[in-house]
Amino acid sequence: MAYGCFEIMKHGTRNPERGPGAPCGLRFNICGLKTSYLRNDDIEDLGNRIQTSISSGLRYSCLHWLSHVEKAQKLDTKDQFLASCGNRMAELPALVSRFLLSRWSLYWLEVLSLARALPRARAILLKLVNSTNVRKAQTLFSLFIYNFSFQYHEMLYNFASELCSFLDRHYDALRISAPHVYISAMVWTSRSSDLWSRWSSAFSGAQILNRELQDEAPLIRRINVGSRVSSLLVLNDGAHIATGTEVGILSVWDLQSGTLLKSVRVHDVHSQ
């Protein structure tokens, strides 16, 4: 299943004899949108375009490929894994690396924007970051990624980290409009980053900003807390932050959308 997800994302089908009517895999402007000036919600025929261009198999693969990679390594040892699954499945970490460390990662984000599933993209990237962090490599999945892809390990960790930050910085634009994966977000990618080195050859026309402007680190998100913040904590899931203000209000925020999830006054907590 894991290997099949990558075949579908790249080719549209697992059938080696792909005829002219076969579904298509990931590609630039997959739905053939005629303009980038409209939000996803304002494109009248977007539903029909998605149904025509993004098969159910492709959508499933974009959402669940990492889950199937995880399921592929449930056996306890490398020898058991190879004996059970064969060398083809042992290539999965390399497939993950080649998929993310290329223009395909942009095409993947485009589809998830159209499918209203960008939170799933961030969840996948965070899991990859934690799994490729040697200091946190405690689960079987972490050891699987480390043992089978040593030559890709550092590259995958760095790229997944940068791609997750890229998604955080431009989440609102990508959520509102799929074309902005390219016309807004990509052009703000630092030329010194791993992302740019992997994407620039496929999108040479995106180099429209001068070097000094493109190398500036943009603000990820501005959240109006209401009063001066005296303490801040990023929660373990990497998707939420907690703030404490000088007037005694504790709040939890969604880091991607900036939405307030819960707020309570300190004296209320003591009185319960």
Side-chain angles (χ1 to χ4, degrees), residues 43-60:
I43 301 173
E44 293 182 0
D45 61 344
L46 182 60
N48 291 332
R49 289 177 178 271
I50 290 175
Q51 188 173 5
T52 301
S53 304
I54 303 175
S55 67
S56 58
L58 178 57
R59 186 180 190 279
Y60 179 91

Side-chain angles (χ1 to χ4, degrees), residues 125-196:
L125 293 172
L126 278 177
K127 180 161 286 189
L128 273 176
V129 169
N130 290 331
S131 299
T132 51
N133 186 336
V134 177
R135 291 172 296 178
K136 296 182 179 180
Q138 300 174 350
T139 66
L140 284 177
F141 177 58
S142 303
L143 296 174
F144 164 73
I145 289 288
Y146 183 78
N147 290 334
F148 284 92
S149 61
F150 185 78
Q151 69 272 38
Y152 298 101
H153 191 270
E154 185 175 357
M155 285 191 301
L156 184 56
Y157 172 75
N158 291 336
F159 197 85
S161 299
E162 285 196 15
L163 190 56
C164 192
S165 297
F166 171 88
L167 180 58
D168 284 342
R169 287 195 299 271
H170 306 292
Y171 181 83
D172 284 344
L174 273 57
R175 175 181 57 83
I176 293 170
S177 174
H180 283 268
V181 170
Y182 312 101
I183 65 174
S184 293
M186 187 177 63
V187 298
W188 282 101
T189 303
S190 171
R191 298 187 188 189
S192 62
S193 69
D194 284 346
L195 301 182
W196 186 257

Side-chain angles (χ1 to χ4, degrees), residues 195-207:
L195 301 182
W196 186 257
S197 67
R198 302 287 176 175
W199 294 341
S200 58
S201 60
F203 298 96
S204 57
Q207 300 177 18

Side-chain angles (χ1 to χ4, degrees), residues 1-270:
M1 285 293 291
Y3 203 94
C5 285
F6 288 103
E7 287 185 323
I8 290 172
M9 286 191 290
K10 189 170 184 179
H11 302 294
T13 175
R14 299 190 66 181
N15 185 354
E17 299 180 3
R18 300 175 177 93
C24 295
L26 295 173
R27 64 188 187 277
F28 175 78
N29 192 15
I30 190 170
C31 287
L33 302 181
K34 297 180 180 180
T35 178
S36 60
Y37 292 105
L38 295 178
R39 301 181 303 173
N40 293 346
D41 290 343
D42 294 333
I43 301 173
E44 293 182 0
D45 61 344
L46 182 60
N48 291 332
R49 289 177 178 271
I50 290 175
Q51 188 173 5
T52 301
S53 304
I54 303 175
S55 67
S56 58
L58 178 57
R59 186 180 190 279
Y60 179 91
S61 298
C62 289
L63 291 171
H64 302 294
W65 59 266
L66 186 61
S67 298
H68 289 292
V69 172
E70 290 181 280
K71 291 176 183 177
Q73 46 67 57
K74 285 188 176 180
L75 297 178
D76 291 338
T77 68
K78 180 178 177 180
D79 292 338
Q80 285 179 314
F81 180 84
L82 287 173
S84 174
C85 302
N87 290 326
R88 189 181 188 222
M89 293 299 291
E91 296 173 358
L92 279 175
L95 284 176
V96 173
S97 298
R98 287 196 292 268
F99 173 72
L100 284 182
L101 275 66
S102 69
R103 67 185 187 279
W104 297 99
S105 54
L106 283 171
Y107 302 158
W108 174 60
L109 290 176
E110 179 189 343
V111 166
L112 293 183
S113 170
L114 292 166
R116 303 175 184 269
L118 281 179
R120 178 62 182 166
R122 192 172 191 277
I124 288 173
L125 293 172
L126 278 177
K127 180 161 286 189
L128 273 176
V129 169
N130 290 331
S131 299
T132 51
N133 186 336
V134 177
R135 291 172 296 178
K136 296 182 179 180
Q138 300 174 350
T139 66
L140 284 177
F141 177 58
S142 303
L143 296 174
F144 164 73
I145 289 288
Y146 183 78
N147 290 334
F148 284 92
S149 61
F150 185 78
Q151 69 272 38
Y152 298 101
H153 191 270
E154 185 175 357
M155 285 191 301
L156 184 56
Y157 172 75
N158 291 336
F159 197 85
S161 299
E162 285 196 15
L163 190 56
C164 192
S165 297
F166 171 88
L167 180 58
D168 284 342
R169 287 195 299 271
H170 306 292
Y171 181 83
D172 284 344
L174 273 57
R175 175 181 57 83
I176 293 170
S177 174
H180 283 268
V181 170
Y182 312 101
I183 65 174
S184 293
M186 187 177 63
V187 298
W188 282 101
T189 303
S190 171
R191 298 187 188 189
S192 62
S193 69
D194 284 346
L195 301 182
W196 186 257
S197 67
R198 302 287 176 175
W199 294 341
S200 58
S201 60
F203 298 96
S204 57
Q207 300 177 18
I208 61 175
L209 301 178
N210 64 57
R211 187 177 187 88
E212 291 75 17
L213 185 60
Q214 191 169 21
D215 283 345
E216 290 182 3
L219 181 68
I220 293 178
R221 174 163 302 285
R222 184 187 301 275
I223 298 176
N224 184 9
V225 176
S227 58
R228 180 172 296 183
V229 174
S230 57
S231 58
L232 183 145
L233 175 68
V234 179
L235 302 188
N236 290 336
D237 61 6
H240 303 90
I241 60 172
T243 60
T245 68
E246 59 184 10
V247 296
I249 298 178
L250 302 178
S251 304
V252 177
W253 308 82
D254 183 284
L255 188 57
Q256 286 185 335
S257 65
T259 303
L260 175 63
L261 301 178
K262 188 174 181 61
S263 184
V264 62
R265 287 190 176 274
V266 175
H267 68 80
D268 292 336
V269 174
H270 291 310

